[in-house]
């Protein structure tokens, strides 16, 4: 479980208990005040309705928390339901506060509410909550002006205008802060996922290299025996047996044909992982050229760019296997100042670059055309696209 996910879960668990518990304290306070004879206009039915509603929301919050303890990903899987619960809970809280409790505490509760909705750092939850609260506050001022407005004051219009400006500016500031913090957290989460993606690809690459080394050792150990057997078939047996034996030997060590090398560990990891797992066996693959180790482009950016391009090329080529021969050609080239990655693949139609990026063979592939463009622009590189004879070719240039 990554750090960002833990943060989001802890935030929503905190809110699940904070909202009903805080309002239960308020209900308990007003119940005690009513017992002591204060606020005679506040009926027992109103207090009972408020306390019961808080108890219901508290039980729902405890239910969510227990479920999340049993399954650490429960809140993440039911995030929409949890957000709906939080919005509804907040809505009920300030509606009760506005219409049941003395108006002298409304403005204090308003700023407490603004402080509470900071915690989710979710723009949708914050937006719905702000709109709901301000709408309820407006309705309260219209339906019960004697409770919320000093009607005999000479500067009544100035008071109304001041409240509108202050509440409006506060709501805008709250929303902007939440929005930008949410953007930051999302970017951090995407970066974390890309790092995990890169590490997974490198691990697959090292497994393939280890497998190849192990198989080569087996081959070297058994090669003399195989030579002795083939020599015996050549001298004594018919040529058909020698031919069959050779074919079996070739199939046994066909693993060497499935490994690709470019000279860059990150690119090699993606090549061997994607081409083996996602590419149709009917697709003809050609990989040639090499990349020198560059010090400019980070491994994470290179992984994101190449994984995106290759996964879409594989998807497009796989769709062509049913009707005609399909192929993928990958060419790596390094110069003095730039290195290039050229990927050409078969395609049903001459798609544009944006259309091709919309197709992915798996959920872990393809971070989007915007990520490719961002990386190219980040390093002042260039990207070219051309299509000819049912093949789409995309070439990227990045500084060394």
């Amino acid at each position: 479980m990554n750090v960002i996910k833990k943060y989001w879960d802890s935030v929503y668990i905190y809110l699940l208990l904070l909202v009903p518990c805080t309002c239960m304290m308020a209900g308990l306070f007003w119940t005690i005040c009513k017992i002591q004879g204060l606020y005679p206009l506040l009926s027992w039915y109103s207090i009972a309705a408020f306390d019961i509603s808080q108890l219901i929301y508290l039980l729902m919050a405890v239910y969510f928390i227990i479920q999340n303890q049993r399954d650490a990903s429960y809140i993440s899987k039911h995030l929409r339901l949890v957000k709906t619960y939080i919005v509804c809970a907040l809505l009920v809280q300030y509606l009760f506060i506005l219409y049941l409790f003395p108006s002298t505490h409304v403005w204090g509760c308003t700023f407490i509410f603004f402080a509470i909705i900071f915690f989710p750092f979710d723009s949708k939850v914050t937006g719905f909550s702000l709109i709901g609260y301000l709408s309820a506050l407006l309705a309260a001022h219209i339906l019960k002006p004697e409770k919320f407005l000093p009607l005999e004051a000479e500067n009544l219009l100035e008071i109304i205008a001041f409240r509108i400006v202050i509440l409006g500016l506060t709501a805008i500031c709250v929303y902007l802060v939440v929005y930008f913090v949410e953007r930051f957290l999302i970017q951090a989460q995407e970066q974390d996922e890309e790092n995990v993606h890169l590490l997974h690809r490198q691990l697959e690459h090292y497994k393939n290299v280890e497998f190849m080394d192990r198989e080569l050792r087996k081959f070297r150990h058994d090669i003399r025996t195989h030579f002795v057997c083939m020599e015996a078939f050549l001298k004594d047996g018919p040529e058909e047996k020698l031919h069959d034996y050779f074919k079996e030997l070739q199939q046994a060590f066909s693993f060497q044909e499935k490994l690709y090398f470019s000279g860059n560990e990150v690119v090699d990891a993606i090549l061997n992982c994607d081409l083996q797992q996602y590419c149709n066996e009917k697709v003809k693959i050609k990989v040639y050229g090499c990349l020198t180790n560059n010090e400019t482009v980070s491994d994470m950016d290179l992984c994101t760019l190449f994984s995106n391009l290759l996964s879409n090329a594989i998807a497009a080529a796989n769709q062509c296997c049913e009707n005609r021969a399909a192929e993928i050609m990958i060419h790596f080239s390094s110069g003095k100042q730039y290195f290039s990655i050229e990927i050409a693949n078969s395609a049903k139609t001459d798609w544009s670059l944006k259309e091709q990026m919309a197709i992915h063979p798996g959920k872990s592939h393809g971070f989007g055309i915007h990520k490719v463009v961002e990386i190219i622009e980040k390093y002042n590189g260039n990207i070219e696209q051309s299509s000819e004879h049912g093949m789409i070719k995309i070439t990227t240039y990045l500084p060394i």
Side-chain angles (χ1 to χ4, degrees), residues 280 283 312-324 326 346-349 351 359-360:
N280 193 305
V283 178
N312 286 282
I314 292 173
N318 286 344
Q319 291 185 355
C320 298
C321 292
E322 297 179 359
N323 302 326
R324 58 185 176 86
S346 304
K348 288 185 176 181
T349 58
W351 296 334
I359 300 177
H360 309 297

Side-chain angles (χ1 to χ4, degrees), residues 2-260:
N2 58 55
V3 176
I4 302 299
K5 184 179 180 298
K6 286 183 179 180
Y7 171 79
W8 280 107
D9 288 349
S10 63
V11 164
Y12 282 110
I13 289 175
Y14 174 75
L15 273 174
L16 285 172
L17 278 180
L18 177 67
V19 174
C21 285
T22 303
C23 292
M24 282 191 73
M25 294 299 102
L28 180 62
F29 172 76
W30 295 117
T31 303
I32 295 173
C33 290
K34 181 66 175 177
I35 293 174
Q36 293 179 348
L38 301 176
Y39 309 117
L41 298 178
L42 191 62
S43 68
W44 283 106
Y45 294 106
S46 300
I47 294 179
F50 181 79
D51 290 340
I52 292 173
S53 68
Q54 305 320 305
L55 180 61
I56 292 173
Y57 278 112
L58 181 62
L59 293 176
M60 291 177 63
V62 171
Y63 169 79
F64 282 128
I65 292 171
I66 292 176
Q67 291 298 323
N68 196 72
Q69 288 180 343
R70 294 176 179 175
D71 180 6
S73 61
Y74 180 84
I75 288 185
S76 299
K77 294 177 181 177
H78 302 82
L79 200 55
R80 182 175 296 180
L81 178 62
V82 174
K83 290 180 181 179
T84 303
Y85 159 81
I86 292 173
V87 172
C88 292
L90 289 172
L91 205 61
V92 171
Q93 315 315 328
Y94 51 68
L95 283 174
F96 268 114
I97 291 171
L98 285 174
Y99 290 101
L100 299 181
F101 297 146
S103 59
T104 53
H105 300 278
V106 167
W107 304 110
C109 293
T110 295
F111 290 103
I112 291 175
F113 162 73
F114 283 152
I116 288 176
I117 62 175
F118 260 91
F119 289 101
F121 293 126
D122 187 289
S123 58
K124 291 183 179 179
V125 171
T126 302
F128 283 123
S129 299
L130 287 172
I131 292 172
Y133 184 83
L134 295 177
S135 299
L137 201 59
L138 176 62
H141 278 71
I142 294 175
L143 297 176
K144 295 183 178 181
E146 70 281 357
K147 183 178 179 180
F148 296 96
L149 289 173
L151 298 177
E152 289 119 12
E154 296 180 357
N155 58 341
L156 182 59
L157 293 178
E158 287 82 353
I159 292 174
I160 294 175
F162 177 77
R163 290 183 179 182
I164 292 175
V165 170
I166 292 299
L167 288 174
L169 290 177
T170 305
I172 292 172
C173 291
V174 168
Y175 183 81
L176 289 177
V177 170
V178 171
Y179 175 81
F180 285 112
V181 172
E182 181 191 31
R183 294 297 100 192
F184 170 78
L185 291 173
I186 289 175
Q187 290 178 0
Q189 186 174 10
E190 288 180 352
Q191 186 175 7
D192 182 64
E193 290 174 353
E194 290 176 9
N195 284 329
V196 173
H197 185 65
L198 173 59
L199 291 174
H200 172 73
R201 295 304 182 87
Q202 289 179 329
L203 178 62
E204 291 294 329
H205 170 67
Y206 292 134
K207 286 181 179 178
N208 286 332
V209 172
E210 182 183 0
F211 171 76
M212 183 192 69
D213 182 67
R214 185 169 60 251
E215 292 298 321
L216 283 175
R217 289 181 181 180
K218 291 180 181 178
F219 181 82
R220 291 171 183 170
H221 181 268
D222 298 336
I223 191 64
R224 293 182 180 179
T225 305
H226 291 310
F227 282 156
V228 171
C229 292
M230 286 190 291
E231 185 178 6
F233 284 131
L234 183 62
K235 291 181 178 179
D236 304 327
E239 292 185 4
E240 292 181 358
K241 288 187 177 182
L242 177 62
H243 181 70
D244 293 338
Y245 188 89
F246 182 77
K247 285 182 66 176
E248 291 179 5
L249 185 63
Q250 187 181 28
Q251 291 177 358
F253 295 98
S254 60
F255 68 92
Q256 299 177 63
E257 299 176 1
K258 298 182 180 180
L259 294 174
Y260 306 93

Side-chain angles (χ1 to χ4, degrees), residues 317-368:
N318 286 344
Q319 291 185 355
C320 298
C321 292
E322 297 179 359
N323 302 326
R324 58 185 176 86
E327 59 181 327
I328 296 176
M329 292 186 294
I330 304 171
H331 179 212
F332 303 105
S333 178
S334 298
K336 294 182 179 180
Q337 296 181 342
Y338 287 85
F339 70 90
S340 66
I341 300 175
E342 178 183 294
I343 301 180
N345 60 271
S346 304
K348 288 185 176 181
T349 58
D350 293 338
W351 296 334
S352 65
L353 180 61
K354 185 175 182 179
E355 291 171 333
Q356 188 183 20
M357 289 298 176
I359 300 177
H360 309 297
K363 291 183 178 179
S364 62
H365 297 275
F367 295 104

